[in-house]
């Protein structure tokens, strides 16, 4: 894949003996960016800088050792991978657009890889785990942070189910202004968002247990030498530290975090596929949110849904829905691709049959 995509090697976790080395044919520098970014998004990204200065954060934009990024945690993220959207990397001969079709085309297995995958088909897959409610119970962390904030402010949060959904999935701005009606002034809302983010990170430090069954499932796929990645909008230090606390760090060969600068859910999935050296159509995403499942399908990836935060009838678009990781086995991964064939979702070239040239009838052709 000559000069097609590249990445920062520092973005990967230390590889375990069963992990896969990064191929030497990939360049070493990558610049992922949205092809189009609205000015409103630029303004939103500038806003945390003012908050950090007001609350005494250090020159790296960190508060008590953690980055102050409330807009990245408590927000409704863009699904991504719509038509015409992709990454852009720069080469001496000019910019190169990288989208889903491009990655599926350029990340085809080589001859030796195809032989290896014919003998060990499970190794051809790449598994991508969403951090929220798939690896870590961030649903509980978010609700607890909102409860702590309400207690500090001397306010109450209604126990209505609709309000709870807003707390989990809507942006903090919308919740504070429109749902809870706690702040009207811009400075007041920024202060509450900053404190909410700090409370979330403090709770994250205390998290020591992963989602039920995920460790056993990672043990099973590690035995089959299937590479895994975890994606999140959190900063890398927080993710690595929490993974170490939960005893999961060595299971993941790649991490996609806030430092990667991904602007949508789909972009994070594509970045994880590149880091795992697996084309998107050979990756399986583990998600609990319908939006994440849609993003996975937009990237031509398979999607396994975990029933819990969302009921089963909201996860019908997933290729497989399970109540917990304990219901899964490696054979389930093979069955996801079994009826698709080895070239499922690969780019296909249309063959146009040419009409044979008409021969002239001469004396030689008769006798």
């Amino acid at each position: 894949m000559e000069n097609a995509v590249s990445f920062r090697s520092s973005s990967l976790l230390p590889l375990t003996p069963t992990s896969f080395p990064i191929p030497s044919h990939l360049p070493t520098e990558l610049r992922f960016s949205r092809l189009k970014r609205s000015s409103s998004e630029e303004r939103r990204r500038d806003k945390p800088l003012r908050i950090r200065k007001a609350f005494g954060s250090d020159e790296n934009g960190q508060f008590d050792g953690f980055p102050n990024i409330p807009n990245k945690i408590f927000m409704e993220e863009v699904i991504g991978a719509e038509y015409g959207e992709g990454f852009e990397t720069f080469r001496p001969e000019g910019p190169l657009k990288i989208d889903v079709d491009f990655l599926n085309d350029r990340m085809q297995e080589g001859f030796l890889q195809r032989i290896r995958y014919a003998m060990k088909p499970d190794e051809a897959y790449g598994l991508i785990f969403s951090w929220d409610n798939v690896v870590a119970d961030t649903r509980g962390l978010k609700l607890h942070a909102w409860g702590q904030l309400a207690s500090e402010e001397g306010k109450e949060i209604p126990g209505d189910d609709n309000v709870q959904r807003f707390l989990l999935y809507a942006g903090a701005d919308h919740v504070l202004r429109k749902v809870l009606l706690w702040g009207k002034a811009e400075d007041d809302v920024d202060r509450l968002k900053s404190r909410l983010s700090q409370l979330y990170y403090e709770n994250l430090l205390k998290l020591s247990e992963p989602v039920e069954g995920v460790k056993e499932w990672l043990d099973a796929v590690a035995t089959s030498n299937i590479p895994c990645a975890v994606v999140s909008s959190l900063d890398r230090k927080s993710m690595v530290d929490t993974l170490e606390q939960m005893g999961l760090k060595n299971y993941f060969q790649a991490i996609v975090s806030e430092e990667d600068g991904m602007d949508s859910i789909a972009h994070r999935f594509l970045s994880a596929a590149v880091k795992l050296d697996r084309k998107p159509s050979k990756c399986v995403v583990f998600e609990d949110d319908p939006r994440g499942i849609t993003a996975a399908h937009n990237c031509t990836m398979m999607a396994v849904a975990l029933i819990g935060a969302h009921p089963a009838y909201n996860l019908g678009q997933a290729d497989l829905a399970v109540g917990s990781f304990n219901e899964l086995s490696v054979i389930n991964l093979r069955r996801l691709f079994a009826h698709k064939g080895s070239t499922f979702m690969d780019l296909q070239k249309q063959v146009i049959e040419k009409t044979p040239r008409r021969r002239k009838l001469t004396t030689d052709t008769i006798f």
Side-chain angles (χ1 to χ4, degrees):
M1 189 169 69
E2 184 178 356
N3 291 334
V5 292
S6 57
F7 50 88
R8 303 182 184 92
S9 59
S10 62
S11 62
L12 298 181
L13 286 174
L15 298 179
T16 60
T18 60
S19 62
F20 293 78
I22 300 302
S24 60
H25 63 274
L26 290 177
T28 57
E29 292 294 331
L30 173 69
R31 181 175 178 180
F32 277 167
S33 63
R34 285 285 294 273
L35 297 182
K36 294 182 181 180
R37 181 176 292 150
S38 65
S39 58
S40 62
E41 289 179 343
E42 296 284 355
R43 288 194 297 271
R44 276 205 312 271
R45 292 189 172 193
D46 293 339
K47 201 177 291 183
L49 295 177
R50 301 196 298 270
I51 301 174
R52 290 168 187 153
K53 292 178 182 178
F55 282 83
S57 57
D58 60 24
E59 62 182 2
N60 296 321
Q62 295 189 349
F63 192 101
D64 289 343
F66 291 104
N68 187 359
I69 47 172
N71 283 336
K72 285 289 184 180
I73 303 170
F74 297 91
M75 67 177 293
E76 186 176 0
E77 297 181 278
V78 179
I79 293 176
E82 292 88 359
Y83 178 76
E85 186 177 336
F87 303 135
E88 194 173 70
T89 185
F90 297 91
R91 302 182 299 173
E93 57 268 29
L96 174 67
K97 178 184 175 183
I98 301 174
D99 57 13
V100 179
D101 291 338
F102 181 93
L103 291 174
N104 275 326
D105 182 40
R106 293 300 183 93
M107 297 183 73
Q108 298 284 352
E109 298 90 349
F111 175 72
L112 294 179
Q113 282 181 314
R114 288 198 296 270
I115 294 177
R116 180 179 180 88
Y117 295 158
M119 296 184 293
K120 298 182 177 181
D122 298 330
E123 295 184 10
Y125 310 132
L127 306 188
I128 301 172
F129 294 78
S130 176
W131 172 263
D132 293 327
N133 305 314
V134 175
V135 175
D137 181 17
T138 57
R139 186 173 183 269
L141 293 179
K142 288 182 178 181
L143 291 176
H144 188 50
W146 277 110
Q148 287 177 298
L149 183 64
S151 178
E152 291 180 359
E153 296 294 319
K155 300 180 182 295
E156 292 186 0
I157 297 178
D160 184 79
D161 290 341
N162 289 329
V163 174
Q164 298 292 312
R165 279 195 293 271
F166 277 119
L167 297 181
L168 291 170
Y169 305 112
D173 271 315
H174 179 77
V175 174
L176 291 170
R177 296 178 189 273
K178 304 295 184 182
V179 180
L180 299 178
L181 306 176
W182 285 1
K184 295 182 180 179
E186 185 74 17
D187 292 342
D188 197 29
V189 172
D190 288 344
R191 178 184 64 82
L192 292 173
K193 286 165 56 180
S194 179
R195 179 56 181 160
L196 181 66
S197 178
Q198 184 186 2
L199 290 170
Y200 178 87
Y201 279 117
E202 288 174 355
N203 295 332
L204 187 66
L205 279 175
K206 304 172 186 176
L207 189 64
S208 59
E209 292 296 327
V211 170
E212 181 184 359
V214 66
K215 189 169 185 178
E216 291 75 14
W217 171 241
L218 289 170
D219 265 327
V221 298
T223 303
S224 300
N225 290 340
I226 306 175
C228 300
V230 58
V231 301
S232 173
S233 60
L234 286 173
D235 65 289
R236 190 175 312 280
K237 182 180 184 302
S238 299
M239 291 183 66
V240 172
D241 289 347
T242 308
L243 286 172
E244 285 181 337
Q245 287 178 174
M246 297 189 295
L248 301 180
K249 177 183 173 183
N250 292 331
Y251 290 110
F252 294 104
Q253 287 73 51
I255 283 182
V256 178
S257 62
E258 192 271 339
E259 287 85 347
D260 290 286
M262 299 294 103
D263 293 326
S264 67
I265 303 172
H267 280 183
R268 288 203 290 269
F269 291 162
L270 291 177
S271 178
V274 171
K275 291 183 179 184
L276 292 177
D277 191 29
R278 297 293 185 272
K279 59 184 181 179
S281 61
K282 279 293 185 180
C283 290
V284 181
V285 172
F286 294 85
E287 261 285 358
D288 79 313
D289 195 313
R291 295 170 55 80
I293 295 169
T294 300
H297 286 162
N298 285 351
C299 297
T300 69
M301 300 177 179
M302 293 292 183
V304 176
L306 291 177
I307 303 169
H310 294 271
Y313 57 79
N314 284 340
L315 303 171
Q317 59 181 321
D319 300 287
L320 176 65
V322 295
S324 71
F325 284 105
N326 296 325
E327 301 177 20
L328 289 172
S329 64
V330 176
I331 194 65
N332 294 125
L333 300 179
R334 302 176 193 170
R335 288 173 179 169
L336 288 175
F337 298 93
H339 65 291
K340 304 296 184 182
S342 60
T343 59
F344 169 60
M345 286 189 176
D346 289 351
L347 289 176
Q348 302 293 329
K349 295 182 179 179
Q350 183 178 3
V351 178
I352 302 176
E353 295 183 0
K354 296 183 179 179
T355 306
R357 190 175 60 179
R358 298 183 65 179
R359 298 175 59 192
K360 273 189 174 183
L361 192 60
T362 63
T363 304
D364 293 338
T365 59
I366 298 176
F367 301 97

